[in-house]
Amino acid sequence: MKRTLFVFLMLIFVPLTQAASGFETIVAKIKPSVVGVGISDPMGSPRNVLQGTGFAVGDGTLIVTNFHVVEKALDPESYQQRVVFIGIGESPKISPAEIIKTDPGHDLAILKIKDSVPPLTLADDTYLPDGRDVAFTGFPIGAILGLYPATHRGMIAALTPVVIPSANAQQLSIQMMKRLKEPFMVYQMDATAYPGNSGSPVYDVESGKVVALINKVFVKETKESALSAPSGISYSIPVKYLHALMAELE
């Protein structure tokens, strides 16, 4: 009886251990490809400001992030420069970046750097089914102590139109009005993202292929509560729109 119980426990324990080890390997491969996107100003205080997360694709010199991360123009009266922060720790490498392609409608932007970062592999254009396990890696609370990417795991909760109904008509912006007429589909996920996660790659936990990128987190109350009281509902942009944008570079 004891021997039978031992064999039964081994049959349960071994697959779980192998699964955990497999996911750990995927995360280890993803992290070197994840970068910070921000601004560097030698005369500013602080000198370097992280605005969001990005990841390498293509030949490793292309960095994908959200358009809203790089939307704000640089101050023409300062020495500001758009940069990508590469590496992990207190002293990441700073690489000047140029915006070469944008898709504001789908909140996507592609930057070009001279350095090369290990690129991630993009999944195909097929929408994922509800219940698919995914993870994302990025910088949820910025880089106060340096670049230390964090990984969150969850699943696809739903494929839903990007528009979130407003509480009243006064909150309807021109951009939102346009989306009401021409909505596109995004993933709703049951994983908690934070403001610094914007642009983080969302990937399949088994293959490591990028299936989407973090777009926003639903905030229950005010913007200020995004860190103290996140809703646990995040949204990501399917990779099919990134494929279309990258095709324009060819």
Side-chain angles (χ1 to χ4, degrees):
M1 178 65 181
K2 290 183 178 180
R3 180 179 177 82
T4 302
L5 179 61
F6 175 76
V7 172
F8 176 73
L9 290 174
M10 286 295 292
L11 289 173
I12 296 177
F13 178 75
V14 171
L16 290 176
T17 303
Q18 291 175 342
S21 176
F23 181 59
E24 291 169 4
T25 300
I26 292 293
V27 173
K29 290 181 178 179
I30 293 290
K31 287 170 68 174
S33 303
V34 178
V35 300
V37 178
I39 291 175
S40 179
D41 185 349
M43 305 299 292
S45 181
R47 292 184 177 181
N48 300 311
V49 178
L50 183 73
Q51 297 178 307
T53 302
F55 60 94
V57 295
D59 63 358
T61 67
L62 300 178
I63 304 297
V64 175
T65 189
N66 287 141
F67 175 72
H68 76 257
V69 170
V70 298
E71 180 178 10
K72 186 177 180 180
L74 301 178
D75 184 352
E77 298 182 0
S78 72
Y79 293 95
Q80 285 185 349
Q81 186 176 32
R82 200 171 307 282
V83 296
V84 165
F85 303 103
I86 304 170
I88 296 175
E90 298 179 6
S91 302
K93 184 175 183 179
I94 300 177
S95 182
E98 176 189 2
I99 301 174
I100 61 172
K101 206 70 181 177
T102 63
D103 179 0
H106 296 107
D107 197 20
L108 296 173
I110 300 177
L111 314 182
K112 179 77 172 180
I113 58 176
K114 292 182 179 180
D115 296 286
S116 182
V117 179
L120 295 180
T121 301
L122 303 181
D124 59 32
D125 290 349
T126 306
Y127 284 127
L128 297 180
D130 296 355
R132 175 66 61 85
D133 289 331
V134 294
F136 57 91
T137 300
F139 305 104
I141 56 174
I144 298 174
L145 301 176
L147 285 187
Y148 296 96
T151 297
H152 301 260
R153 185 168 179 171
M155 72 173 184
I156 301 297
L159 183 67
T160 177
V162 71
V163 175
I164 298 176
S166 297
N168 57 66
Q170 294 180 344
Q171 296 178 357
L172 287 173
S173 64
I174 295 177
Q175 185 177 19
M176 189 174 292
M177 289 289 288
K178 183 177 180 180
R179 286 184 176 179
L180 283 170
K181 296 179 180 179
E182 303 173 3
F184 67 96
M185 306 303 286
V186 297
Y187 295 125
Q188 177 181 315
M189 306 187 303
D190 70 336
T192 302
Y194 295 85
N197 275 124
S198 293
S200 298
V202 180
Y203 49 92
D204 184 279
V205 298
E206 294 184 358
S207 68
K209 291 183 178 181
V210 178
V211 298
L213 64 155
I214 293 294
N215 169 233
K216 59 188 175 183
V217 58
F218 176 68
V219 180
K220 292 181 291 186
E221 300 171 4
T222 64
K223 292 181 179 179
E224 290 72 22
S225 68
L227 290 176
S228 61
S231 66
I233 301 175
S234 304
Y235 295 88
S236 60
I237 304 167
V239 76
K240 66 174 295 182
Y241 303 111
L242 177 56
H243 275 298
L245 186 62
M246 290 189 64
E248 296 180 13
L249 296 175
E250 299 176 357

